[in-house]
Every structure is written in C-alpha cells, then in structure tokens.
Amino acid sequence: MHIPDGYLSPVTCAVTFAATVPFWYVSMRKLDRDLNGQHLPLVALVAAFSFVIMMFNLPIPGGTTAHAAGIGIAAVLLGPWAAVPAISVALLIQAIFFGDGGITAFGANCLNMAVVGPMVAAAVYALGTRGAAIGSRRRVIMAGLASYAGLNAAALLAAVEFGVQPLFFHDAAGAPLYAPYPLSVAVPAMALTHLTIAGAAEFIVTAGLVAWLQRSNPELLAPRRAPAAPERHLRLWAGIGALVVLCPLGLIAAGTAWGEWGAEDFTSEAGRAAMAGASGGVAPPAGLPGGFARLAELWSAPLPDYAPAFVQNAPLGYVLSALLGVALIVAGIGLSAGLRALTRRAG
C-alpha cells in the first residue's frame, strides 16, 4: 500500500498532499490541547509499532505480498487525530531512509494510511463500543472490525489513486504516463489483497492487542485517560522489541506488493510476468511509462528495502533496519516535543 515515486502524477501528488495538510495541522493542535505532551510517549510507542508491523510481509496468492499497518490499534489507543501524526511519522521514516513509499507520494500515503484509515477505524470502534465496559468482549471484536474497515478504506483509496492515472495522465497515443492499470484492474487487485489476508492480519493483531490490554493495562483503553508514567509502557516496548527480533519472518513472503514494482520490473520478462499474474492476467504496457521514468529515481534512500549495504546477512539487516527505524521515530518525536516545550516557554 506504500505508493512509490512514479506511480502518481505530480498533480495527484500535489492534490493529495494539499488534502492531508489540514489534517496534520488540526491533529497537532489537538495533540497540544487535548492530550498534551505527557501523552507523547504513547504516540511514539504507537508510531514505532506501526513501523515494525508493516515489515511483516504476508504472502498473497498470485505472487504478491501485503501487511498489517497498525491503523486500528492507533485509532483505538490514540483516537483518530493523534493517530494522524503517529502513523505519518512512521511513513516519513520509511520513505526517507528505507525507500518504502515515495517522497512525492508521501502526501497520498499519509492521506490513505494516516488519515482516512484511522478516521474510519475510530468511527467504527466508537459506534460499536458505545456503552460497552472497558473489559467487555464487544470492545475486542469491534477493535478488530474497526481495524479491518480502516485498512480496507485506506487500500480502496490507494487503488483509486492508482486507477485514475491512466484515465487522466497518458500520452498522445494513449499510453499511461504513471501507474499503468485502470480502476477495473487496480480496485479488484487491491481489494482481493486487503479484504482477505492483510485485513485478517490487521483484525487479529488489533483484537489480540486490545484483549491483552484489557487484562494488563486497561487504563489505556479508557476514552479520557490520564497520562501514564513511562514505566507503565515498559511491557509494550518489550513487545515491540520482540517484534523487532521476529521481523525477519516478514522476509519469508516472496514477491512485491501490488503497485510497488520497480522500474526493472516493467522491462524484465520475469517482472512483467509477475505484474500480469497479480493483475488478473492483464499485461503491463510494453515500455516503462514516461512519467514514471522521470519520477521513480527522484530519491535514493540510504537503506533501500531495509537492507543495509554493509550487512551481508538479510535477516540481520532487516533487524538492524527495524531498530534504526524505531530509534529514529523515538528521537524525532522526542525532539519535536522538546522544541515545542521550548517554544511555549519562550512565548
């Protein structure tokens, strides 16, 4: 679901970025006003969880992969507005350092996974848990359903963004300039992936975490909770540490997620076969789309594909990338909190 550079036209990138900016602005204002800085450790924790859980690629029939995104648990623990910056930070680190999601498509990826997904998930969870006790089974089930709905809403929006490219952006001969597949291919391909395996994974992860929190840390599920002392989060950080250690399991799934093929896949026989196989048998265009070629190499991430060049062991490189990503998230949110505190004092 991480749209790379080259798949969306500059116009689409600009529109989606502009659509996301107001959500970033309002969410930061609300974070200051409603949650205050004492909740930032929980925001960092959720952002780190979202980052790591996205590294667990799951095999999809047809040769592609997909993953959970932590959208549901972010909506449940933080609410929709604080979930916006939490997941946006995770997506930013992924794009800049690991090339997972494009720089030009950053606004679109945030709109899909950090805005629409959490908003849908939070709405479903709020409606379904009205009047339910914190420890009720209904909260577990609704958390799972909310996460399933949020993930699929994000995937549907991404599919539409992919699918409208050939309709609006093509050359004089009608050849697509960016994402090559129309809505009739993009929507079913993304829906098949996320309505089944990725959605099920998001459901299980979110429902399981909520069930565990009901027993271990129920105050985190309270709608208007008081800030928890950092030591109350230690077991949650320990869980993220366990995920980091286990993240090489995400390397078992072979193949590339639908819509995340690189330039070499458009031109190689094996890559073209994989694209067609994952797209209902519809072959990609004969050549590399012209607009795609101009944008795809715009940014070179220092650690592409979570594989540091100085580490020759893929699982170890994956673990080191996860550790670095979590560290960058914590440092970034901590630095932001410090700067905002200094600004308030100076004001």
Side-chain angles (χ1 to χ4, degrees):
M1 206 193 306
H2 292 70
I3 302 174
D5 287 323
Y7 279 87
L8 302 183
S9 71
V11 171
T12 309
C13 293
V15 168
T16 51
F17 189 85
T20 307
V21 166
F23 290 94
W24 284 330
Y25 176 76
V26 174
S27 67
M28 294 307 293
R29 294 291 300 269
K30 284 182 171 290
L31 200 61
D32 272 347
R33 188 189 66 197
D34 298 340
L35 292 180
N36 74 56
Q38 296 179 65
H39 285 91
L40 285 177
L42 185 59
V43 175
L45 195 151
V46 170
F49 175 79
S50 177
F51 179 92
V52 176
I53 201 68
M54 290 190 209
M55 296 180 71
F56 283 79
N57 295 312
L58 303 168
I60 301 293
T64 63
T65 63
H67 54 73
I71 289 173
I73 199 64
V76 169
L77 290 184
L78 300 176
W81 289 105
V84 172
I87 298 181
S88 294
V89 167
L91 293 173
L92 182 64
I93 299 298
Q94 289 170 336
I96 291 177
F97 292 94
F98 304 102
D100 196 9
I103 297 296
T104 59
F106 179 63
N109 285 324
C110 286
L111 181 65
N112 304 339
M113 288 185 272
V115 175
V116 172
M119 294 288 171
V120 170
V124 172
Y125 184 70
L127 285 172
T129 57
R130 189 170 293 171
I134 292 298
S136 69
R137 184 172 297 178
R138 177 148 60 102
R139 284 190 178 270
V140 175
I141 295 171
M142 287 312 305
L145 290 175
S147 65
Y148 182 86
L151 185 75
N152 277 282
L156 176 61
L157 186 53
V160 171
E161 291 158 358
F162 280 123
V164 299
Q165 299 306 307
L167 181 64
F168 294 112
F169 307 101
H170 49 75
D171 63 18
L177 290 172
Y178 303 99
Y181 288 113
L183 286 169
S184 59
V185 175
V187 171
M190 291 289 284
L192 175 66
T193 299
H194 291 86
L195 285 171
T196 55
I197 294 175
E202 186 86 3
F203 181 105
I204 292 169
V205 166
T206 308
L209 278 172
V210 169
W212 179 69
L213 288 171
Q214 284 179 327
R215 297 190 299 275
S216 65
N217 220 340
E219 64 274 14
L220 286 180
L221 299 172
R224 292 192 176 278
R225 58 185 174 275
E231 57 268 25
R232 297 287 295 169
H233 299 154
L234 284 180
R235 279 190 288 183
L236 297 176
W237 280 112
I240 289 178
L243 286 177
V244 168
V245 172
L246 294 173
C247 73
L249 292 173
L251 292 169
I252 294 175
T256 302
W258 196 93
E260 298 184 21
W261 299 288
E264 67 282 3
D265 293 313
F266 282 87
T267 53
S268 73
E269 187 175 338
R272 292 176 58 77
M275 293 173 74
S279 306
V282 180
L288 190 63
F292 181 100
R294 286 192 294 274
L295 293 178
E297 303 301 327
L298 198 63
W299 173 252
S300 296
L303 305 172
D305 300 323
Y306 305 97
F310 56 89
V311 179
Q312 300 306 311
N313 181 290
L316 179 59
Y318 215 54
V319 170
L320 290 176
S321 295
L323 281 172
L324 178 61
V326 170
L328 288 169
I329 287 170
V330 172
I333 291 178
L335 180 62
S336 173
L339 290 175
R340 293 177 76 81
L342 287 174
T343 302
R344 278 195 293 271
R345 282 192 207 122

